[in-house]
């Protein structure tokens, strides 16, 4: 995301805000890396359909996130548009509402904006009006105490917000809440992955309770020759 994240010589760097201090930070590894993939590999590796994908990519993790609220807003921004377009809009949000660093460091110029600042800036974002409303409503909910953190289950609260459906709620559950069984059967990449394996969505029943890890393998397999 422009202004907040960069990768230099294979090293990921980002800005963080902690209390009154803002600047470069080294995010904790555990929230970003997600859960230990060992149990998921052991379970999914025995499956006759998914097993070969696990052998091809042992240790594949479900990535976590530095901040659940940030992840959720970025998920909404990215609904039904390309990754490049989502980056552009997220960068615009950072430029409008993010807190600037005292001095730029490389391409890093801001920290991710607060939920209140996002809600205020939402009407100026270059996206459909309905999605701007969703961004504002989600930001206001986070500012009001909606907890999007590992171990929680905020699906019901998320689905009650305008413009958030099952795909978005499950994606947030997978990345921010750390639910290893989050599942997105309507996701285009998942559907293509299932078709490539020659199975339907019902095959995922045997992948419980690690369907989120299965999603990562299905997505990753799309790049295989």
């Amino acid at each position: 995301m422009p202004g907040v994240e960069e990768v230099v010589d294979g090293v990921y760097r980002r800005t963080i805000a902690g209390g009154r201090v803002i600047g470069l930070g080294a995010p904790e590894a555990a929230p970003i890396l997600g859960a230990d993939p060992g149990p998921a590999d052991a379970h999914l590796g025995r499956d006759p359909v998914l097993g070969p994908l696990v052998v091809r990519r042992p240790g594949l993790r479900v990535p976590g996130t530095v901040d659940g609220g940030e992840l959720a807003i970025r998920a909404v921004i990215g609904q039904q548009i390309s990754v490049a377009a989502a980056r552009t809009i997220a960068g615009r949000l950072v430029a409008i509402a993010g807190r600037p660093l005292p001095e730029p460091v490389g391409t890093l110029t801001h920290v991710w904006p607060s939920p209140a600042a996002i809600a205020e800036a939402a009407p100026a974002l270059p996206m459909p009006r309905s999605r701007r409303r969703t961004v504002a409503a989600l930001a206001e909910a986070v500012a009001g105490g909606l907890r999007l953190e590992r171990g929680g289950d905020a699906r019901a609260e998320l689905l009650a917000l305008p413009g958030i459906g099952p795909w978005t709620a499950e994606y947030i559950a997978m990345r921010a809440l750390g639910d290893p069984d989050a599942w997105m059967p309507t996701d285009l990449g998942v559907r293509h992955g299932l078709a490539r394996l020659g199975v339907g969505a019902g095959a995922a029943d045997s992948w419980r309770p690690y369907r989120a890890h299965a999603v990562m393998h299905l997505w990753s397999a799309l790049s295989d020759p």
Side-chain angles (χ1 to χ4, degrees), residues 102-203:
E103 293 183 7
V105 180
T107 64
L108 303 177
T109 58
H110 293 73
V111 295
W112 178 254
S114 69
I118 293 172
E120 183 176 349
L125 295 178
M127 61 172 68
R129 182 181 301 175
S130 60
R131 196 157 304 143
R132 293 198 300 265
R133 287 198 300 265
T134 301
V135 168
L138 176 57
E140 289 168 357
V142 173
L146 175 62
R147 300 175 69 88
L148 301 176
E149 58 189 24
R150 297 186 67 82
D153 189 353
R155 285 178 174 86
E157 294 93 331
L158 288 168
L159 291 171
L161 296 173
I164 293 187
W167 182 93
T168 305
E170 288 300 303
Y171 181 75
I172 294 169
M174 182 174 78
R175 295 282 314 279
L177 307 182
D179 182 355
D181 202 41
W183 175 240
M184 296 175 287
T186 62
D187 178 81
L188 186 59
V190 168
R191 291 166 59 188
H192 284 325
L194 291 171
R196 189 166 184 171
L197 294 175
V199 298

Side-chain angles (χ1 to χ4, degrees), residues 39-40 43-51 53 180-181 183 190 193-194 197 199-215 217-218:
H43 178 74
L44 300 177
R46 294 191 294 268
D47 184 83
V49 174
L50 211 61
L53 301 186
D181 202 41
W183 175 240
V190 168
L194 291 171
L197 294 175
V199 298
D205 290 341
S206 64
W207 302 340
R208 296 175 183 269
Y210 297 109
R211 290 181 299 174
H213 294 263
V215 168
H217 283 288
L218 293 171

Side-chain angles (χ1 to χ4, degrees), residues 31-57:
I32 295 177
L33 292 178
D36 176 8
D41 277 6
H43 178 74
L44 300 177
R46 294 191 294 268
D47 184 83
V49 174
L50 211 61
L53 301 186
V54 177
V55 171
R56 193 171 302 156
R57 292 183 175 86

Side-chain angles (χ1 to χ4, degrees), residues 74-82 86 131 134 163-165 167-168:
R74 293 173 69 169
V76 171
I77 288 175
Q79 289 175 347
Q80 300 178 343
I81 60 175
S82 69
R131 196 157 304 143
T134 301
I164 293 187
W167 182 93
T168 305

Side-chain angles (χ1 to χ4, degrees), residues 12-16 23-28 108:
Y12 170 77
R13 302 196 305 172
R14 67 162 292 145
T15 58
I16 60 173
L24 284 178
E28 295 180 11
L108 303 177

